[in-house]
Amino acid sequence: MDQNPSQKEQIMLPFSVVSGILMCKTVYDITGKVSSQLYKGYNGLKTKDKIEWNNRGFSTFHSLVVTVVSFYLVFISDIFKEDPHNPVTLTERKSHLSSSLQGISLGYFIADFAMIVWFFPSLGGMEYVLHHLLAIFSISLTLTSGKGHLYVHTLLLTEATTPFVNLRWYLDLAGKKSSTLYLYNGLAMFFGWLVARILLFAYFFPHLYFHFDEVKNTFPLGPYPLVTVPSVLALMNLFWFSKILKGAIKTLAKTKNC
């Protein structure tokens, strides 16, 4: 695992970013074509709803890819496992797979951010702008420095909740708020958010603390990016989780009264 950017990496990284942007465009178009054939209500949607429908299609696809690969890299592969015999510190370890995935993910966040700004605020308010700017900054920093891959992939695991959030929006738009699927998806979103966006940070911050000697020498800016960015994201996740919790309580109350 050579930490210096090789000629192959210098070609691979921009290629993966462009691939991420093209992935968004391709899935956006496919989502529209498939939806128009499989869901009759799609053709009757307003233009702004069709745009968001297709946008959520590629955000779901991205979340599935990064969740599976990041979980493999962080918890299954040997790349980031504690090994006292490995001379390369955890903050300096990387692989072609981890770099490629981050490049693709960076391409996604750039494409999604562009759409959020272009159609602002219909695809999300300022909290989404802040979230995406933090993601773009973090991933760009690790890709250009070749360091901190473990922590970025850990944070990318929070994308695991996106399919549940998007399905909730789809069902709401389709008038299925009273369906059993809507209820079960809401519960899955609640527990998924609790695990992937709340409890995950209970693993992240202690890990950061116990490896702080490595972390503080990771970037020219010091440990600040690896401390401040996850802290802001954690606070945003707690804010959103409070809303999800209120919604879950309200939904369960309605179910009991039926």
mmCIF file of all heavy atoms in Angstrom, residues 1-4 9 73-74 77-99 102 142-143 145-153 207 211 214 218-219:
data_model
loop_
_atom_site.group_PDB
_atom_site.id
_atom_site.type_symbol
_atom_site.label_atom_id
_atom_site.label_comp_id
_atom_site.label_asym_id
_atom_site.label_seq_id
_atom_site.Cartn_x
_atom_site.Cartn_y
_atom_site.Cartn_z
ATOM 1 N N MET A 1 0.833 -1.193 0.000
ATOM 2 C CA MET A 1 0.000 0.000 0.000
ATOM 3 C C MET A 1 0.873 1.251 0.000
ATOM 4 O O MET A 1 1.084 1.905 1.012
ATOM 5 C CB MET A 1 -0.925 0.026 1.219
ATOM 6 C CG MET A 1 -2.106 -0.906 1.098
ATOM 7 S SD MET A 1 -3.226 -0.735 2.503
ATOM 8 C CE MET A 1 -2.200 -1.396 3.815
ATOM 9 N N ASP A 2 1.385 1.580 -1.098
ATOM 10 C CA ASP A 2 2.214 2.779 -1.238
ATOM 11 C C ASP A 2 1.339 4.011 -1.090
ATOM 12 O O ASP A 2 0.330 4.171 -1.752
ATOM 13 C CB ASP A 2 2.878 2.766 -2.620
ATOM 14 C CG ASP A 2 3.820 3.935 -2.801
ATOM 15 O OD1 ASP A 2 4.101 4.616 -1.792
ATOM 16 O OD2 ASP A 2 4.258 4.144 -3.934
ATOM 17 N N GLN A 3 1.746 4.922 -0.156
ATOM 18 C CA GLN A 3 0.925 6.080 0.136
ATOM 19 C C GLN A 3 1.153 7.240 -0.825
ATOM 20 O O GLN A 3 0.418 8.211 -0.818
ATOM 21 C CB GLN A 3 1.189 6.533 1.584
ATOM 22 C CG GLN A 3 0.886 5.451 2.615
ATOM 23 C CD GLN A 3 -0.495 4.856 2.446
ATOM 24 O OE1 GLN A 3 -1.496 5.561 2.472
ATOM 25 N NE2 GLN A 3 -0.560 3.559 2.233
ATOM 26 N N ASN A 4 2.193 7.197 -1.622
ATOM 27 C CA ASN A 4 2.439 8.256 -2.589
ATOM 28 C C ASN A 4 1.613 8.014 -3.844
ATOM 29 O O ASN A 4 1.556 6.894 -4.349
ATOM 30 C CB ASN A 4 3.924 8.296 -2.956
ATOM 31 C CG ASN A 4 4.785 8.660 -1.759
ATOM 32 O OD1 ASN A 4 4.445 9.544 -1.004
ATOM 33 N ND2 ASN A 4 5.896 7.945 -1.596
ATOM 34 N N GLU A 9 -2.836 6.109 -10.036
ATOM 35 C CA GLU A 9 -3.795 6.798 -9.183
ATOM 36 C C GLU A 9 -4.127 8.185 -9.719
ATOM 37 O O GLU A 9 -5.280 8.631 -9.620
ATOM 38 C CB GLU A 9 -3.244 6.917 -7.755
ATOM 39 C CG GLU A 9 -3.287 5.619 -6.967
ATOM 40 C CD GLU A 9 -2.712 5.803 -5.569
ATOM 41 O OE1 GLU A 9 -1.660 6.463 -5.444
ATOM 42 O OE2 GLU A 9 -3.324 5.301 -4.609
ATOM 43 N N LEU A 73 -14.909 -2.549 3.536
ATOM 44 C CA LEU A 73 -13.587 -1.976 3.780
ATOM 45 C C LEU A 73 -13.309 -1.770 5.266
ATOM 46 O O LEU A 73 -12.213 -2.066 5.755
ATOM 47 C CB LEU A 73 -13.458 -0.644 3.048
ATOM 48 C CG LEU A 73 -13.337 -0.700 1.527
ATOM 49 C CD1 LEU A 73 -13.471 0.689 0.915
ATOM 50 C CD2 LEU A 73 -12.013 -1.327 1.102
ATOM 51 N N VAL A 74 -14.310 -1.280 6.004
ATOM 52 C CA VAL A 74 -14.102 -0.929 7.407
ATOM 53 C C VAL A 74 -14.128 -2.138 8.332
ATOM 54 O O VAL A 74 -13.294 -2.264 9.236
ATOM 55 C CB VAL A 74 -15.165 0.099 7.864
ATOM 56 C CG1 VAL A 74 -15.044 0.382 9.364
ATOM 57 C CG2 VAL A 74 -15.013 1.402 7.077
ATOM 58 N N SER A 77 -12.526 -6.315 5.435
ATOM 59 C CA SER A 77 -11.201 -6.419 4.826
ATOM 60 C C SER A 77 -10.102 -6.212 5.867
ATOM 61 O O SER A 77 -10.351 -5.768 6.990
ATOM 62 C CB SER A 77 -11.048 -5.398 3.697
ATOM 63 O OG SER A 77 -10.902 -4.099 4.230
ATOM 64 N N ASP A 78 -8.879 -6.515 5.476
ATOM 65 C CA ASP A 78 -7.731 -6.363 6.378
ATOM 66 C C ASP A 78 -7.088 -4.982 6.299
ATOM 67 O O ASP A 78 -6.145 -4.695 7.047
ATOM 68 C CB ASP A 78 -6.662 -7.419 6.039
ATOM 69 C CG ASP A 78 -7.152 -8.837 6.295
ATOM 70 O OD1 ASP A 78 -7.969 -9.010 7.220
ATOM 71 O OD2 ASP A 78 -6.726 -9.757 5.576
ATOM 72 N N ILE A 79 -7.580 -4.128 5.418
ATOM 73 C CA ILE A 79 -6.933 -2.835 5.181
ATOM 74 C C ILE A 79 -6.856 -1.987 6.448
ATOM 75 O O ILE A 79 -5.814 -1.428 6.778
ATOM 76 C CB ILE A 79 -7.682 -2.056 4.077
ATOM 77 C CG1 ILE A 79 -7.651 -2.827 2.756
ATOM 78 C CG2 ILE A 79 -7.054 -0.672 3.882
ATOM 79 C CD1 ILE A 79 -8.528 -2.231 1.694
ATOM 80 N N PHE A 80 -7.972 -1.912 7.178
ATOM 81 C CA PHE A 80 -8.022 -1.024 8.342
ATOM 82 C C PHE A 80 -8.038 -1.768 9.676
ATOM 83 O O PHE A 80 -8.413 -1.193 10.690
ATOM 84 C CB PHE A 80 -9.255 -0.111 8.237
ATOM 85 C CG PHE A 80 -9.289 0.728 6.992
ATOM 86 C CD1 PHE A 80 -10.330 0.607 6.091
ATOM 87 C CD2 PHE A 80 -8.272 1.630 6.723
ATOM 88 C CE1 PHE A 80 -10.373 1.375 4.942
ATOM 89 C CE2 PHE A 80 -8.301 2.410 5.577
ATOM 90 C CZ PHE A 80 -9.353 2.281 4.675
ATOM 91 N N LYS A 81 -7.618 -3.026 9.661
ATOM 92 C CA LYS A 81 -7.589 -3.787 10.906
ATOM 93 C C LYS A 81 -6.355 -3.415 11.729
ATOM 94 O O LYS A 81 -5.287 -3.147 11.190
ATOM 95 C CB LYS A 81 -7.591 -5.292 10.609
ATOM 96 C CG LYS A 81 -8.959 -5.823 10.207
ATOM 97 C CD LYS A 81 -8.960 -7.325 10.079
ATOM 98 C CE LYS A 81 -10.364 -7.846 9.727
ATOM 99 N NZ LYS A 81 -10.389 -9.310 9.555
ATOM 100 N N GLU A 82 -6.546 -3.415 13.048
ATOM 101 C CA GLU A 82 -5.434 -3.121 13.952
ATOM 102 C C GLU A 82 -4.359 -4.197 13.796
ATOM 103 O O GLU A 82 -4.644 -5.390 13.912
ATOM 104 C CB GLU A 82 -5.930 -3.110 15.398
ATOM 105 C CG GLU A 82 -6.993 -2.068 15.683
ATOM 106 C CD GLU A 82 -6.403 -0.697 15.977
ATOM 107 O OE1 GLU A 82 -5.166 -0.567 15.918
ATOM 108 O OE2 GLU A 82 -7.175 0.231 16.251
ATOM 109 N N ASP A 83 -3.143 -3.766 13.499
ATOM 110 C CA ASP A 83 -2.037 -4.703 13.321
ATOM 111 C C ASP A 83 -0.739 -4.035 13.770
ATOM 112 O O ASP A 83 -0.208 -3.167 13.062
ATOM 113 C CB ASP A 83 -1.932 -5.134 11.848
ATOM 114 C CG ASP A 83 -0.842 -6.173 11.620
ATOM 115 O OD1 ASP A 83 -0.195 -6.582 12.600
ATOM 116 O OD2 ASP A 83 -0.643 -6.560 10.449
ATOM 117 N N PRO A 84 -0.241 -4.401 14.955
ATOM 118 C CA PRO A 84 0.982 -3.774 15.471
ATOM 119 C C PRO A 84 2.208 -4.025 14.598
ATOM 120 O O PRO A 84 3.211 -3.315 14.701
ATOM 121 C CB PRO A 84 1.150 -4.413 16.851
ATOM 122 C CG PRO A 84 0.391 -5.696 16.780
ATOM 123 C CD PRO A 84 -0.760 -5.435 15.861
ATOM 124 N N HIS A 85 2.113 -5.039 13.742
ATOM 125 C CA HIS A 85 3.250 -5.372 12.874
ATOM 126 C C HIS A 85 3.226 -4.604 11.551
ATOM 127 O O HIS A 85 4.160 -4.685 10.772
ATOM 128 C CB HIS A 85 3.280 -6.879 12.592
ATOM 129 C CG HIS A 85 3.375 -7.722 13.836
ATOM 130 N ND1 HIS A 85 4.477 -7.712 14.654
ATOM 131 C CD2 HIS A 85 2.481 -8.573 14.403
ATOM 132 C CE1 HIS A 85 4.289 -8.539 15.669
ATOM 133 N NE2 HIS A 85 3.087 -9.069 15.551
ATOM 134 N N ASN A 86 2.114 -3.885 11.305
ATOM 135 C CA ASN A 86 1.988 -3.116 10.069
ATOM 136 C C ASN A 86 2.614 -1.733 10.291
ATOM 137 O O ASN A 86 2.175 -0.970 11.157
ATOM 138 C CB ASN A 86 0.515 -2.957 9.687
ATOM 139 C CG ASN A 86 0.343 -2.424 8.267
ATOM 140 O OD1 ASN A 86 1.184 -1.687 7.759
ATOM 141 N ND2 ASN A 86 -0.759 -2.788 7.630
ATOM 142 N N PRO A 87 3.667 -1.397 9.557
ATOM 143 C CA PRO A 87 4.348 -0.103 9.759
ATOM 144 C C PRO A 87 3.513 1.101 9.314
ATOM 145 O O PRO A 87 3.804 2.236 9.706
ATOM 146 C CB PRO A 87 5.610 -0.239 8.908
ATOM 147 C CG PRO A 87 5.236 -1.205 7.833
ATOM 148 C CD PRO A 87 4.280 -2.178 8.468
ATOM 149 N N VAL A 88 2.478 0.859 8.500
ATOM 150 C CA VAL A 88 1.637 1.955 8.006
ATOM 151 C C VAL A 88 0.523 2.223 9.023
ATOM 152 O O VAL A 88 -0.218 1.323 9.403
ATOM 153 C CB VAL A 88 1.011 1.608 6.637
ATOM 154 C CG1 VAL A 88 0.193 2.789 6.123
ATOM 155 C CG2 VAL A 88 2.093 1.237 5.636
ATOM 156 N N THR A 89 0.417 3.457 9.487
ATOM 157 C CA THR A 89 -0.613 3.800 10.474
ATOM 158 C C THR A 89 -2.006 3.724 9.846
ATOM 159 O O THR A 89 -2.163 3.803 8.624
ATOM 160 C CB THR A 89 -0.394 5.219 11.022
ATOM 161 O OG1 THR A 89 -0.499 6.162 9.942
ATOM 162 C CG2 THR A 89 0.981 5.334 11.662
ATOM 163 N N LEU A 90 -3.016 3.612 10.696
ATOM 164 C CA LEU A 90 -4.392 3.493 10.217
ATOM 165 C C LEU A 90 -4.823 4.704 9.387
ATOM 166 O O LEU A 90 -5.557 4.572 8.414
ATOM 167 C CB LEU A 90 -5.345 3.316 11.397
ATOM 168 C CG LEU A 90 -5.373 1.935 12.058
ATOM 169 C CD1 LEU A 90 -6.233 1.967 13.313
ATOM 170 C CD2 LEU A 90 -5.887 0.880 11.090
ATOM 171 N N THR A 91 -4.354 5.868 9.770
ATOM 172 C CA THR A 91 -4.763 7.078 9.050
ATOM 173 C C THR A 91 -4.116 7.189 7.670
ATOM 174 O O THR A 91 -4.567 7.978 6.837
ATOM 175 C CB THR A 91 -4.394 8.337 9.864
ATOM 176 O OG1 THR A 91 -2.986 8.322 10.145
ATOM 177 C CG2 THR A 91 -5.183 8.391 11.160
ATOM 178 N N GLU A 92 -3.076 6.405 7.431
ATOM 179 C CA GLU A 92 -2.377 6.477 6.139
ATOM 180 C C GLU A 92 -2.719 5.312 5.214
ATOM 181 O O GLU A 92 -2.249 5.270 4.079
ATOM 182 C CB GLU A 92 -0.862 6.507 6.368
ATOM 183 C CG GLU A 92 -0.376 7.765 7.081
ATOM 184 C CD GLU A 92 1.130 7.752 7.293
ATOM 185 O OE1 GLU A 92 1.687 6.660 7.537
ATOM 186 O OE2 GLU A 92 1.747 8.826 7.213
ATOM 187 N N ARG A 93 -3.524 4.391 5.696
ATOM 188 C CA ARG A 93 -3.839 3.221 4.869
ATOM 189 C C ARG A 93 -4.934 3.534 3.856
ATOM 190 O O ARG A 93 -5.874 4.277 4.129
ATOM 191 C CB ARG A 93 -4.289 2.057 5.762
ATOM 192 C CG ARG A 93 -3.206 1.551 6.693
ATOM 193 C CD ARG A 93 -3.691 0.354 7.465
ATOM 194 N NE ARG A 93 -2.832 0.081 8.616
ATOM 195 C CZ ARG A 93 -3.069 -0.859 9.506
ATOM 196 N NH1 ARG A 93 -4.143 -1.639 9.384
ATOM 197 N NH2 ARG A 93 -2.246 -1.043 10.524
ATOM 198 N N LYS A 94 -4.768 2.928 2.701
ATOM 199 C CA LYS A 94 -5.740 3.093 1.628
ATOM 200 C C LYS A 94 -5.553 1.950 0.638
ATOM 201 O O LYS A 94 -4.632 1.138 0.757
ATOM 202 C CB LYS A 94 -5.553 4.428 0.920
ATOM 203 C CG LYS A 94 -4.203 4.548 0.213
ATOM 204 C CD LYS A 94 -4.072 5.879 -0.504
ATOM 205 C CE LYS A 94 -2.731 5.961 -1.242
ATOM 206 N NZ LYS A 94 -2.583 7.213 -2.007
ATOM 207 N N SER A 95 -6.448 1.861 -0.323
ATOM 208 C CA SER A 95 -6.329 0.874 -1.395
ATOM 209 C C SER A 95 -6.934 1.480 -2.654
ATOM 210 O O SER A 95 -7.585 2.541 -2.599
ATOM 211 C CB SER A 95 -7.064 -0.420 -1.027
ATOM 212 O OG SER A 95 -8.468 -0.209 -0.990
ATOM 213 N N HIS A 96 -6.738 0.812 -3.768
ATOM 214 C CA HIS A 96 -7.348 1.302 -5.011
ATOM 215 C C HIS A 96 -8.870 1.300 -4.894
ATOM 216 O O HIS A 96 -9.545 2.186 -5.423
ATOM 217 C CB HIS A 96 -6.909 0.441 -6.198
ATOM 218 C CG HIS A 96 -5.461 0.614 -6.564
ATOM 219 N ND1 HIS A 96 -4.870 1.849 -6.668
ATOM 220 C CD2 HIS A 96 -4.481 -0.297 -6.850
ATOM 221 C CE1 HIS A 96 -3.595 1.717 -7.006
ATOM 222 N NE2 HIS A 96 -3.333 0.419 -7.108
ATOM 223 N N LEU A 97 -9.418 0.301 -4.180
ATOM 224 C CA LEU A 97 -10.866 0.219 -4.009
ATOM 225 C C LEU A 97 -11.379 1.387 -3.169
ATOM 226 O O LEU A 97 -12.383 2.017 -3.523
ATOM 227 C CB LEU A 97 -11.253 -1.108 -3.352
ATOM 228 C CG LEU A 97 -12.753 -1.312 -3.077
ATOM 229 C CD1 LEU A 97 -13.558 -1.239 -4.366
ATOM 230 C CD2 LEU A 97 -12.983 -2.653 -2.375
ATOM 231 N N SER A 98 -10.676 1.672 -2.063
ATOM 232 C CA SER A 98 -11.139 2.769 -1.201
ATOM 233 C C SER A 98 -11.036 4.109 -1.924
ATOM 234 O O SER A 98 -11.929 4.962 -1.808
ATOM 235 C CB SER A 98 -10.325 2.797 0.103
ATOM 236 O OG SER A 98 -8.986 3.182 -0.131
ATOM 237 N N SER A 99 -9.986 4.307 -2.692
ATOM 238 C CA SER A 99 -9.817 5.558 -3.436
ATOM 239 C C SER A 99 -10.867 5.692 -4.535
ATOM 240 O O SER A 99 -11.449 6.769 -4.736
ATOM 241 C CB SER A 99 -8.417 5.627 -4.050
ATOM 242 O OG SER A 99 -7.418 5.645 -3.051
ATOM 243 N N GLN A 102 -14.307 6.476 -3.063
ATOM 244 C CA GLN A 102 -14.386 7.864 -2.625
ATOM 245 C C GLN A 102 -14.495 8.813 -3.821
ATOM 246 O O GLN A 102 -15.208 9.815 -3.763
ATOM 247 C CB GLN A 102 -13.161 8.220 -1.776
ATOM 248 C CG GLN A 102 -13.205 7.633 -0.379
ATOM 249 C CD GLN A 102 -12.100 8.169 0.511
ATOM 250 O OE1 GLN A 102 -11.743 9.337 0.437
ATOM 251 N NE2 GLN A 102 -11.562 7.323 1.356
ATOM 252 N N THR A 142 -9.234 13.829 1.715
ATOM 253 C CA THR A 142 -8.627 12.495 1.823
ATOM 254 C C THR A 142 -8.066 12.025 0.488
ATOM 255 O O THR A 142 -7.024 11.365 0.446
ATOM 256 C CB THR A 142 -9.641 11.457 2.342
ATOM 257 O OG1 THR A 142 -10.767 11.408 1.457
ATOM 258 C CG2 THR A 142 -10.125 11.799 3.738
ATOM 259 N N LEU A 143 -8.740 12.367 -0.603
ATOM 260 C CA LEU A 143 -8.259 11.933 -1.913
ATOM 261 C C LEU A 143 -6.973 12.645 -2.308
ATOM 262 O O LEU A 143 -6.066 12.039 -2.867
ATOM 263 C CB LEU A 143 -9.333 12.172 -2.974
ATOM 264 C CG LEU A 143 -10.491 11.175 -3.007
ATOM 265 C CD1 LEU A 143 -11.511 11.575 -4.061
ATOM 266 C CD2 LEU A 143 -9.993 9.760 -3.281
ATOM 267 N N SER A 145 -4.784 14.024 -0.219
ATOM 268 C CA SER A 145 -3.700 13.731 0.730
ATOM 269 C C SER A 145 -3.371 12.242 0.786
ATOM 270 O O SER A 145 -2.276 11.855 1.185
ATOM 271 C CB SER A 145 -4.082 14.203 2.129
ATOM 272 O OG SER A 145 -5.158 13.437 2.648
ATOM 273 N N GLY A 146 -4.342 11.390 0.406
ATOM 274 C CA GLY A 146 -4.149 9.944 0.514
ATOM 275 C C GLY A 146 -4.260 9.444 1.943
ATOM 276 O O GLY A 146 -3.870 8.314 2.237
ATOM 277 N N LYS A 147 -4.806 10.272 2.842
ATOM 278 C CA LYS A 147 -4.894 9.902 4.249
ATOM 279 C C LYS A 147 -6.332 10.033 4.761
ATOM 280 O O LYS A 147 -7.150 10.725 4.169
ATOM 281 C CB LYS A 147 -3.965 10.789 5.081
ATOM 282 C CG LYS A 147 -2.497 10.668 4.707
ATOM 283 C CD LYS A 147 -1.643 11.596 5.549
ATOM 284 C CE LYS A 147 -0.164 11.473 5.174
ATOM 285 N NZ LYS A 147 0.688 12.393 5.996
ATOM 286 N N GLY A 148 -6.590 9.346 5.888
ATOM 287 C CA GLY A 148 -7.899 9.450 6.526
ATOM 288 C C GLY A 148 -8.989 8.641 5.860
ATOM 289 O O GLY A 148 -10.179 8.877 6.113
ATOM 290 N N HIS A 149 -8.630 7.674 5.022
ATOM 291 C CA HIS A 149 -9.634 6.883 4.309
ATOM 292 C C HIS A 149 -10.556 6.124 5.260
ATOM 293 O O HIS A 149 -11.759 6.016 5.009
ATOM 294 C CB HIS A 149 -8.944 5.893 3.357
ATOM 295 C CG HIS A 149 -8.464 6.522 2.091
ATOM 296 N ND1 HIS A 149 -8.630 5.946 0.849
ATOM 297 C CD2 HIS A 149 -7.827 7.702 1.862
ATOM 298 C CE1 HIS A 149 -8.110 6.721 -0.085
ATOM 299 N NE2 HIS A 149 -7.606 7.792 0.512
ATOM 300 N N LEU A 150 -9.993 5.591 6.343
ATOM 301 C CA LEU A 150 -10.799 4.832 7.301
ATOM 302 C C LEU A 150 -11.961 5.675 7.820
ATOM 303 O O LEU A 150 -13.109 5.215 7.864
ATOM 304 C CB LEU A 150 -9.928 4.369 8.471
ATOM 305 C CG LEU A 150 -10.681 3.823 9.695
ATOM 306 C CD1 LEU A 150 -11.498 2.587 9.322
ATOM 307 C CD2 LEU A 150 -9.712 3.506 10.815
ATOM 308 N N TYR A 151 -11.691 6.900 8.183
ATOM 309 C CA TYR A 151 -12.716 7.740 8.801
ATOM 310 C C TYR A 151 -13.755 8.225 7.790
ATOM 311 O O TYR A 151 -14.935 8.348 8.123
ATOM 312 C CB TYR A 151 -12.045 8.905 9.530
ATOM 313 C CG TYR A 151 -11.219 8.439 10.697
ATOM 314 C CD1 TYR A 151 -9.835 8.555 10.696
ATOM 315 C CD2 TYR A 151 -11.825 7.822 11.794
ATOM 316 C CE1 TYR A 151 -9.079 8.095 11.764
ATOM 317 C CE2 TYR A 151 -11.067 7.355 12.862
ATOM 318 C CZ TYR A 151 -9.701 7.489 12.838
ATOM 319 O OH TYR A 151 -8.949 7.019 13.900
ATOM 320 N N VAL A 152 -13.332 8.484 6.572
ATOM 321 C CA VAL A 152 -14.295 8.883 5.543
ATOM 322 C C VAL A 152 -15.231 7.724 5.210
ATOM 323 O O VAL A 152 -16.442 7.911 5.069
ATOM 324 C CB VAL A 152 -13.574 9.387 4.276
ATOM 325 C CG1 VAL A 152 -14.546 9.478 3.102
ATOM 326 C CG2 VAL A 152 -12.949 10.742 4.531
ATOM 327 N N HIS A 153 -14.690 6.515 5.104
ATOM 328 C CA HIS A 153 -15.546 5.360 4.800
ATOM 329 C C HIS A 153 -16.483 5.041 5.958
ATOM 330 O O HIS A 153 -17.601 4.570 5.741
ATOM 331 C CB HIS A 153 -14.691 4.144 4.443
ATOM 332 C CG HIS A 153 -14.144 4.192 3.053
ATOM 333 N ND1 HIS A 153 -14.945 4.120 1.934
ATOM 334 C CD2 HIS A 153 -12.872 4.349 2.592
ATOM 335 C CE1 HIS A 153 -14.193 4.209 0.855
ATOM 336 N NE2 HIS A 153 -12.942 4.358 1.225
ATOM 337 N N HIS A 207 -12.810 5.869 18.624
ATOM 338 C CA HIS A 207 -11.727 5.411 17.756
ATOM 339 C C HIS A 207 -10.800 6.577 17.429
ATOM 340 O O HIS A 207 -9.568 6.429 17.441
ATOM 341 C CB HIS A 207 -12.302 4.818 16.480
ATOM 342 C CG HIS A 207 -11.301 4.052 15.658
ATOM 343 N ND1 HIS A 207 -10.324 4.683 14.915
ATOM 344 C CD2 HIS A 207 -11.113 2.709 15.482
ATOM 345 C CE1 HIS A 207 -9.587 3.766 14.293
ATOM 346 N NE2 HIS A 207 -10.039 2.566 14.630
ATOM 347 N N HIS A 211 -6.733 7.010 18.744
ATOM 348 C CA HIS A 211 -5.706 7.089 17.704
ATOM 349 C C HIS A 211 -5.338 8.552 17.423
ATOM 350 O O HIS A 211 -4.902 8.883 16.327
ATOM 351 C CB HIS A 211 -6.186 6.413 16.414
ATOM 352 C CG HIS A 211 -6.402 4.946 16.544
ATOM 353 N ND1 HIS A 211 -7.565 4.414 17.061
ATOM 354 C CD2 HIS A 211 -5.596 3.878 16.250
ATOM 355 C CE1 HIS A 211 -7.477 3.091 17.064
ATOM 356 N NE2 HIS A 211 -6.297 2.746 16.585
ATOM 357 N N GLU A 214 -2.028 9.657 15.878
ATOM 358 C CA GLU A 214 -1.934 9.514 14.426
ATOM 359 C C GLU A 214 -2.774 10.591 13.735
ATOM 360 O O GLU A 214 -2.361 11.174 12.731
ATOM 361 C CB GLU A 214 -2.420 8.130 13.994
ATOM 362 C CG GLU A 214 -1.635 6.968 14.591
ATOM 363 C CD GLU A 214 -2.276 5.641 14.253
ATOM 364 O OE1 GLU A 214 -3.023 5.565 13.266
ATOM 365 O OE2 GLU A 214 -2.028 4.659 14.982
ATOM 366 N N THR A 218 -2.302 13.917 10.542
ATOM 367 C CA THR A 218 -2.847 13.420 9.276
ATOM 368 C C THR A 218 -2.821 14.470 8.177
ATOM 369 O O THR A 218 -2.364 14.223 7.064
ATOM 370 C CB THR A 218 -4.296 12.938 9.478
ATOM 371 O OG1 THR A 218 -4.317 11.907 10.464
ATOM 372 C CG2 THR A 218 -4.855 12.373 8.168
ATOM 373 N N PHE A 219 -3.306 15.669 8.471
ATOM 374 C CA PHE A 219 -3.420 16.715 7.460
ATOM 375 C C PHE A 219 -2.603 17.945 7.844
ATOM 376 O O PHE A 219 -2.295 18.141 9.026
ATOM 377 C CB PHE A 219 -4.886 17.125 7.283
ATOM 378 C CG PHE A 219 -5.801 15.993 6.933
ATOM 379 C CD1 PHE A 219 -6.865 15.660 7.762
ATOM 380 C CD2 PHE A 219 -5.606 15.254 5.784
ATOM 381 C CE1 PHE A 219 -7.710 14.624 7.447
ATOM 382 C CE2 PHE A 219 -6.441 14.210 5.456
ATOM 383 C CZ PHE A 219 -7.501 13.888 6.284
#
